[in-house]
Amino acid sequence: MIEAAKAIADARPRVVSALAVHLRDLDLAEDSFAEAVEACLKLVEPPDNIAGWLHVTARRKAVDAIRKREAQARAADGEAQISDMENILTLPEPIADERLRLLFICCHPALAPEVRVALALRVICGIPVSSIASVFLTSETTMYQRITRAKKKVREAGIPFELPQRRFWSERFGAVLLTLELAYTAAYQDAAGEIDPELAEEIARLATLVTELFPDEPEALGLAALIMLARSREKSRVSEQGGMIPLSRQDTGVWDRRAIEQARLWLDQAARAGATGPYQVMAAIQLTHARRMFDGTTDWSAILTLYDALMIMRPGPMVEVNRALALAECQCDAAGLSALRAVPKDRVRHSRPYRVAQAKLLERLGQFREARAMLESAMELDPPRAERLFLEDWKANLPEG
Amino acid sequence: MQYMLLINESEDAYTGENAAQVMEETLAGHLKLIEKLTESGTEWSGNRLREAHTATTLRYSGEGDGVLHDGPYAETHEELGGYYIVDAPDLDAAVEWARMIPIPGAGSIEIRPIWPEDE
């Protein structure tokens, strides 16, 4: 039964996407899939091809629902409506392209960017609204309203269930990648995986799918490589006591060599397209860190150069913070600290990484009292449990001074 | 599906040094759009509106009767200057028509589906 549950979960994105695209109704697709799952769980023996079975069953449930709706409409105005039941009954089997189409629908520029992410997570990944709400640090009610409103807009504003024309791909493509990036970042932030351990896996799967469907888009390969590299270290990020382990102290023996190799292949493939972008640069930084697994050292000057490139392509406070840390490794801690202090204060006011980075360099410069104060201020920003444990432990081990 | 394309534009664009030329070019843009709409067999209608200073607003505060005010509904630099109603298969098609509406200065076009009578 556990296997059947996993097969159902695996089938969900594919089947719901196929249903949504053909029914042109996100709610109806989700509802009829849920009904099909209910029917499946009542079977004594699970069917051999669960995805296929769920698809056919959900389709029938949807047809029933449409028939009922039409009968009600007829009763209401006494006029028969044209039914597209024939089309629905002769649906082709779900194809990979439909998941992509749905991702593009959720990333339509007529929807607000933060709604695109939530809608994609809900409809394509099947993540419960409560989990999406906690990922985005908002209440479940608010998130539910946002998603409901977005679905309503898709339906009432007539957002098409089609891949846009090629000339509009770049506009949507950015949103598709950004959705995946934000979703992954949100899932990954919590080192102990308390939010939803399956979320990261699902997003990684979708990122891989995008590379399959757009093999010529170097940035898609870059994002997939970035996510794959983050995943390669998943098992080494938390100590037995549940505390976060920073990258520099992780046991490289636990890193996933095959995932790293896959990421390297993707980056090579991306490089051949000759169009570098921020995702490729971010992945290259992570790949440089990954090389520690093979030769035991970290090439900080290469990392600094890559952050310099990223500062041009996609400047932002977090890039500056990370660049400052690389600078500290390449030149000296004082240089790193002054680079950190040059970051505009208003942009890092609520940033934990900024305070943690300062604490790190202050400690190395022997300014333990200042480092302690900085760690305390980082803890005021409500870190997830694994990070809090790490910060508390660090603070406890700081020398007096 | 019918969409209303509401043209919000800055009237200042038509009052500068080369006002006559801007007006001429904008009108030419509208004529071109109308030509394309007709050519494509799309059902449409539309109108140009008198300037914002001719507007009167009936405003409701949420309590009781509406009160008449002089001027458009919002105090902005962009005013409702005209509209089209086009019959388009979906939002993307409506956006394509909207992109063809000439806006000489700053402005925006709001695209709103029309609520069908039978819903």
Side-chain angles (χ1 to χ4, degrees), chain A residues 81 102 279:
Chain A
Q81 292 190 354
L102 195 54
Y279 288 124

Side-chain angles (χ1 to χ4, degrees), chain A residues 362-382:
Chain A
L362 286 166
E363 179 190 17
R364 285 206 219 158
L365 289 163
Q367 299 175 33
F368 302 121
R369 200 155 42 90
E370 291 82 351
R372 183 172 297 110
M374 205 47 86
L375 286 177
E376 277 162 7
S377 78
M379 277 186 269
E380 281 164 18
L381 293 177
D382 200 22

Side-chain angles (χ1 to χ4, degrees), chain A residues 274-288:
Chain A
T276 309
Y279 288 124
Q280 291 169 75
V281 173
M282 286 188 265
I285 290 168
Q286 296 309 317
L287 190 64
T288 311

Side-chain angles (χ1 to χ4, degrees), chain A residues 105-371:
Chain A
I105 293 158
C106 293
C107 289
H108 196 286
L111 297 170
E114 71 274 12
V115 171
R116 292 175 211 161
V117 180
L119 189 64
L121 287 175
R122 176 72 207 110
V123 178
I124 303 169
C125 310
I127 312 280
V129 175
S130 58
S131 304
I132 299 174
S134 68
V135 165
F136 291 98
L137 306 173
T138 177
S139 76
E140 190 175 340
T141 319
T142 307
M143 187 48 78
Y144 182 78
Q145 283 168 346
R146 267 191 217 162
I147 292 174
T148 309
R149 213 180 299 138
K151 283 185 186 168
K152 215 170 156 193
K153 176 151 187 194
V154 169
R155 187 170 62 242
E156 290 179 356
I159 289 179
F161 278 72
E162 296 297 333
L163 268 179
Q165 289 175 4
R166 207 183 166 96
R167 66 197 160 104
F168 293 122
W169 277 13
S170 52
E171 176 186 65
R172 307 264 176 109
F173 196 70
V176 168
L177 294 187
L178 188 64
T179 301
L180 293 174
E181 183 204 346
L182 291 181
Y184 192 81
T185 308
Y188 200 73
Q189 258 172 9
D190 179 23
E194 282 163 24
I195 294 175
D196 186 343
E198 278 165 29
L199 180 53
E201 194 180 334
E202 186 59 31
I203 299 302
R205 201 186 58 74
L206 280 172
T208 308
L209 176 71
V210 173
T211 67
E212 284 164 15
L213 293 158
F214 292 91
D216 302 329
E217 286 285 350
E219 280 293 271
L221 291 160
L223 177 65
L226 180 65
I227 291 175
M228 191 57 99
L229 286 162
R231 297 202 69 208
S232 75
R233 299 182 203 127
E234 239 158 42
K235 290 199 179 78
S236 56
R237 297 175 69 218
V238 183
S239 72
E240 276 175 27
Q241 292 75 37
M244 184 187 91
I245 306 175
L247 179 59
S248 62
R249 285 191 226 149
Q250 286 174 15
D251 173 7
T252 60
V254 190
W255 288 356
D256 183 345
R257 188 183 276 258
R258 273 173 57 197
I260 294 170
E261 186 57 22
Q262 176 63 64
R264 193 186 62 77
L265 286 172
W266 276 336
L267 275 186
D268 283 351
Q269 195 184 331
R272 282 197 289 276
T276 309
Y279 288 124
Q280 291 169 75
V281 173
M282 286 188 265
I285 290 168
Q286 296 309 317
L287 190 64
T288 311
H289 281 298
R291 272 184 16 212
R292 188 156 65 82
M293 184 182 196
F294 303 92
D295 59 16
T297 61
T298 302
D299 185 348
W300 283 106
S301 79
I303 290 171
L304 182 61
T305 308
L306 288 164
Y307 273 119
D308 285 339
L310 199 54
M311 277 297 291
I312 295 163
M313 289 178 193
R314 197 167 121 167
M318 279 314 104
V319 181
E320 279 190 65
V321 169
N322 285 314
R323 187 191 164 277
L325 287 173
L327 187 71
E329 300 290 343
C330 290
Q331 293 180 7
C332 64
D333 296 326
L337 194 59
S338 67
L340 269 184
R341 285 176 172 161
V343 181
K345 291 281 170 297
D346 56 320
R347 304 197 60 193
V348 282
R349 193 173 295 138
H350 303 293
S351 165
R352 279 201 315 273
Y354 176 67
R355 294 183 188 179
V356 172
Q358 284 206 58
K360 182 176 176 175
L361 296 183
L362 286 166
E363 179 190 17
R364 285 206 219 158
L365 289 163
Q367 299 175 33
F368 302 121
R369 200 155 42 90
E370 291 82 351

